[in-house]
Amino acid sequence: MLLLGLLVRFSPAQQVVNRVTLDASEITYEIDKNIYGQFSEHLGRGVYGGIWVGPNSSIPNVGGIRKDVVNALRKINVPIVRWPGGCFADEYHWKDGIGPRDERPRMINTNWGGVTEDNSFGTSEFLEFCRLVGCAPYITGNLGSGSVQELSQWVEYVNSDNVSPLTELRRKNGRDKSWGVKYWGLGNESWGCGGNMNPEYYADLARRYGNFMRTYGENRPFKIACGPSGDDYSWTSIVMRDAGSYVDGIALHYYSFANERTAIDFTESGWFDIMKKTLRMDEYIRKNSEILDRYDPGKRVALVVDEWGTWYNVEPGTNPAFLYQQNTLRDAVAAACNLNIFNNNCDRVRMANIAQTVNVLQSMILTDGPKMVCTPTYYVFDIFKVHQSGMMIPVNVNSAPYIFEGDTLPAINCSASIDSLGTVHISLCNIDPDSPESIAIVAKSFLISDVTGEILTADSMTAHNTFDNPNIVVPHTFSGFSLSGEMLDVKMPPMSVVVLAVKGKLQPPAPIEPKNPRPGLNFRYYEGVWNFLPNFSLIVPKSTGMLPAIAIPGGNSGENFAVEYEGYVKVPAEGAYTFFVNSDDGSSLYIDGRLVVSNDGLHAPTERSGRVFLSEGYHRIKVSFFQRGGGMTFGAYIEGPGIPREEIPAGMLFSEGK
Ligand code: AHR
């Protein structure tokens, strides 16, 4: 099937033109910045030596945390860090890591070399590290060997501002206010090192442990269940079936393994092998997403790729259990391919955490005592950070083939986004280590006026940065493009990653002129019992009418009903508008027939948003809401040029008159 998308490769005389089409009229999903997340486990020198050196170290530190590492991570806008594992999480007992450090008990890190863990880096140290980096924390709870009470109390210790023995303990340990940690994992790889469980058993545990992770004030935990390893679709189906409606995310782990050799010891066959394994990520995400779609069509549950990356044999002379590996141009290109895949699947993938931040597997940073070096992978995260929180622009890629020993991969992959200032960012990979590629880029609904770019490449596929030579693989200004008419022609060297910043003018779809517009929206009110928004075209309304704004019609039954609102929203100026819907239970919002906010399913008050580019004037709006039992919340909001976030005002809502 892959071959269908490939163009035939011509001889060098007949330049192959790869073609990338961006459709700026199809912008729906935001690229969650958490896709650019990290994972830091108590493993080898990942935490100890890599992040934590202790307050008495001669290595410059803030309260024990390395300054150089924090500064480097700040530069790439790390949005989130997952901790304390990994396999370590299911043996970690958080109470061992609080209070005076010299009184903390020691333990054996049985997963990673049987070394002594002195617990000097615990909850408050991790949360301080996140504060210094400027990122959100993501804590993985222990479902393997810990108790329900233990996890429940961890959430309370970290998130409650109330009075209780645990919050008093926190205050005694020097922290008055709660930290307000949002992201929590329900165990790690529970099908393997996290307890060798069956999915049915795990799903029950996830429901039970999750139930006692309480909301304190505004701090509602976002619960992430253990998902599959790569293509274990049966695990995904069963966990989604049995626990899907109790969690907010499900984790996917997938590594590109080539662990019979070290990171720098390879030829083209090792290069091709890693590219092939890396590109499989797309299939694993799509097929797992199809399963999620079956149980969660409103895309409420996030697919969280919270472990990914390359995995080789360790560097010679290092502890095999410490997973310390070098990092070459091959890793940089593999990281860029993965990030393109995550961007393109951002309707479902709303977090990803590369394994791991420092000194472990595909790291951003390597340290050796006081020395530090940023890897080629770090620089990919640096040049890709422009995609964080941008709106994804769908791309269609026709690629030349990269053929190695009779096996074929597409040479080019790509993703694109538009940021809040209207700049389009296009990231391109040429994975072919031998052939330069010429790429014709056409942007539909966007008039290009100016382009700049950055490139990451090197002369050799094994090129890497060392403590003595830290700038072998670093980004450079890229000027290998030309603009002729509407076509942007990009010439990529072999094995390179390019990120373009394209300025221009978005051409949003023309507004629609309703007949005799009059204030207010039409609504249709239905009664029935649903777990998801019903198919409104198949059911008969109990009543219909007009409302000045989007509000629950009076006289509703309080539970087991649904409402659909339809009409026009009139926007005052061309630009990017964000729509929000906060609801309990499910809701959705469409503009001009396109889904902008998807907030479906049975849930507590949850706000979701989406951004669209609109021309000045009228646009069709359709909002749907359903209420089953329990609490009821519903509100629709707008933010845009000159409009602060506010409930969509009655003055902007219209319907067609006679
Ligand atoms: O990242 C290293 C290990 O890989 C993690 O601890 C585990 O979750 C995975 O198998």
Side-chain angles (χ1 to χ4, degrees):
M1 284 310 286
L2 190 63
L3 279 170
L4 288 178
L6 304 177
L7 296 177
V8 181
R9 169 157 285 176
F10 298 90
S11 68
Q14 303 162 282
Q15 264 284 312
V16 175
V17 177
N18 302 274
R19 205 177 163 84
V20 170
T21 310
L22 270 66
D23 195 345
S25 69
E26 287 293 326
I27 300 170
T28 304
Y29 295 102
E30 180 172 327
I31 297 178
D32 197 310
K33 63 177 193 289
N34 287 341
I35 283 178
Y36 291 81
Q38 301 281 324
F39 167 40
S40 290
E41 178 168 14
H42 287 232
L43 192 178
R45 296 187 300 113
V47 168
Y48 296 107
I51 291 173
W52 178 255
V53 286
N56 300 325
S57 171
S58 58
I59 298 171
N61 67 82
V62 188
I65 296 167
R66 285 183 82 120
K67 274 190 183 169
D68 51 356
V69 168
V70 165
N71 289 338
L73 296 175
R74 286 184 72 85
K75 281 199 194 121
I76 56 169
N77 292 356
V78 168
I80 191 160
V81 177
R82 174 175 183 250
W83 172 87
C87 298
F88 180 78
D90 281 299
E91 271 194 329
Y92 182 62
H93 300 284
W94 69 272
K95 284 187 184 164
D96 295 347
I98 58 168
R101 275 183 218 112
D102 53 359
E103 290 171 20
R104 296 184 190 175
R106 288 158 182 250
M107 67 178 278
I108 306 164
N109 189 337
T110 56
N111 282 289
W112 304 117
V115 296
T116 303
E117 160 69 58
D118 72 1
N119 278 306
S120 51
F121 191 84
T123 301
S124 63
E125 288 79 11
F126 170 62
L127 294 171
E128 176 60 5
F129 166 68
C130 290
R131 190 190 69 78
L132 293 171
V133 171
C135 69
Y138 165 17
I139 294 180
T140 302
N142 179 345
L143 262 69
S145 67
S147 67
V148 174
Q149 183 188 37
E150 190 181 350
L151 182 52
S152 164
Q153 290 189 335
W154 201 1
V155 177
E156 182 182 334
Y157 182 84
V158 165
N159 278 358
S160 170
D161 282 308
N162 218 323
V163 178
S164 76
L166 282 157
T167 57
E168 287 308 309
L169 180 61
R170 185 189 70 221
R171 290 186 185 104
K172 190 172 139 232
N173 288 336
R175 174 80 188 191
D176 182 31
K177 256 193 75 55
S178 68
W179 285 277
V181 173
K182 176 172 175 184
Y183 297 99
W184 293 84
L186 289 158
N188 170 76
E189 297 192 353
S190 306
W191 35 260
C193 66
N196 289 317
M197 302 178 200
N198 293 317
E200 293 85 354
Y201 177 72
Y202 169 75
D204 280 349
L205 280 195
R207 287 165 63 152
R208 178 164 166 241
Y209 278 69
N211 184 63
F212 295 97
M213 296 168 74
R214 302 299 193 192
T215 296
Y216 296 98
E218 300 284 290
N219 301 328
R220 187 179 94 76
F222 183 102
K223 299 168 201 162
I224 300 167
C226 164
S229 169
D231 59 354
D232 184 356
Y233 304 119
S234 129
W235 178 278
T236 312
S237 298
I238 295 169
V239 172
M240 278 305 290
R241 183 194 69 196
D242 295 354
S245 51
Y246 296 87
V247 298
D248 305 288
I250 181 161
L252 165 69
H253 287 187
Y254 174 59
Y255 287 97
S256 309
F257 282 106
N259 46 2
E260 55 301 319
R261 283 178 166 204
T262 67
I264 54 175
D265 171 25
F266 67 95
T267 56
E268 189 169 349
S269 88
W271 173 281
F272 187 90
D273 176 54
I274 282 293
M275 295 305 143
K276 185 171 179 174
K277 288 170 176 161
T278 296
L279 294 177
R280 272 185 204 144
M281 178 70 91
D282 188 56
E283 174 187 330
Y284 298 157
I285 288 177
R286 275 187 298 100
K287 292 197 171 154
N288 279 297
S289 297
E290 278 165 29
I291 297 168
L292 266 64
D293 285 347
R294 282 214 293 277
Y295 295 97
D296 172 38
K299 299 187 191 293
R300 185 188 61 79
V301 177
L303 189 60
V304 174
V305 189
D306 62 16
E307 286 189 32
W308 66 272
T310 52
W311 189 320
Y312 310 110
N313 203 348
V314 296
E315 283 301 295
T318 65
N319 186 333
F322 282 13
L323 309 186
Y324 176 74
Q325 63 190 41
Q326 245 297 356
N327 195 295
T328 68
L329 179 63
R330 173 173 66 167
D331 299 287
V333 175
C337 293
N338 270 316
L339 293 173
N340 276 341
I341 293 170
F342 301 151
N343 287 346
N344 289 330
N345 288 284
C346 68
D347 61 324
R348 206 39 113 164
V349 177
R350 296 201 279 274
M351 194 200 297
N353 310 73
I354 188 170
Q356 301 193 4
T357 320
V358 193
N359 291 336
V360 177
L361 298 175
Q362 192 177 352
S363 323
M364 301 295 109
I365 291 169
L366 303 176
T367 67
D368 179 11
K371 295 187 234 164
M372 185 197 91
V373 65
C374 295
T375 64
T377 298
Y378 172 93
Y379 290 109
V380 167
F381 275 72
D382 191 24
I383 60 177
F384 270 61
K385 69 185 179 213
V386 289
H387 285 304
Q388 292 188 19
S389 302
M391 296 297 293
M392 187 266 280
I393 305 178
V395 291
N396 191 300
V397 182
N398 275 307
S399 172
Y402 162 33
I403 303 167
F404 178 74
E405 291 182 348
D407 206 349
T408 306
L409 295 171
I412 300 297
N413 63 74
C414 170
S415 70
S417 65
I418 182 163
D419 68 20
S420 54
L421 300 173
T423 302
V424 169
H425 301 280
I426 306 172
S427 44
L428 295 151
C429 297
N430 175 11
I431 69 168
D432 192 322
D434 307 312
S435 171
E437 295 294 341
S438 183
I439 304 151
I441 301 182
V442 174
K444 287 193 195 161
S445 305
F446 189 82
L447 257 189
I448 301 174
S449 58
D450 183 46
V451 185
T452 53
E454 286 186 284
I455 184 166
L456 194 72
T457 188
D459 292 340
S460 118
M461 58 176 83
T462 57
H464 56 278
N465 299 333
T466 62
F467 299 111
D468 295 331
N469 284 305
N471 296 322
I472 302 291
V473 190
V474 292
H476 292 283
T477 302
F478 176 68
S479 52
F481 52 80
S482 58
L483 187 61
S484 61
E486 298 190 346
M487 178 95 78
L488 180 60
D489 182 33
V490 182
K491 301 239 176 314
M492 288 186 76
M495 50 184 181
S496 63
V497 178
V498 163
V499 178
L500 301 172
V502 182
K503 295 218 184 314
K505 181 144 172 51
L506 194 74
Q507 299 173 306
I512 298 157
E513 277 307 320
K515 257 197 295 164
N516 306 323
R518 54 180 178 161
L521 290 183
N522 293 303
F523 77 87
R524 293 180 288 276
Y525 171 83
Y526 305 81
E527 287 185 359
V529 182
W530 301 286
N531 292 340
F532 295 102
L533 284 165
N535 183 341
F536 288 95
S537 64
L538 301 178
I539 51 176
V540 179
K542 205 153 182 255
S543 61
T544 60
M546 292 268 304
L547 280 169
I550 301 168
I552 299 173
N556 65 76
S557 57
E559 56 179 26
N560 302 329
F561 72 87
V563 197
E564 199 173 38
Y565 307 80
E566 249 184 305
Y568 296 84
V569 58
K570 187 179 183 193
V571 299
E574 182 177 300
Y577 289 84
T578 307
F579 290 89
F580 311 78
V581 188
N582 188 356
S583 67
D584 167 357
D585 292 288
S587 57
S588 65
L589 184 148
Y590 286 75
I591 298 291
D592 292 335
R594 290 211 357 257
L595 180 64
V596 175
V597 185
S598 170
N599 197 1
D600 203 359
L602 283 179
H603 52 74
T606 305
E607 184 169 290
R608 299 282 304 272
S609 63
R611 209 170 338 139
V612 272
F613 287 84
L614 299 177
S615 44
E616 178 191 340
Y618 293 96
H619 295 270
R620 273 183 287 120
I621 183 168
K622 185 163 85 176
V623 183
S624 311
F625 166 68
F626 84 96
Q627 158 69 358
R628 194 154 162 193
M632 178 161 75
T633 304
F634 180 48
Y637 307 83
I638 188 170
E639 186 182 321
I643 307 178
R645 186 199 142 107
E646 60 181 349
E647 217 160 297
I648 305 176
M652 287 178 78
L653 295 170
F654 296 86
S655 52
E656 209 151 66
K658 300 266 179 269

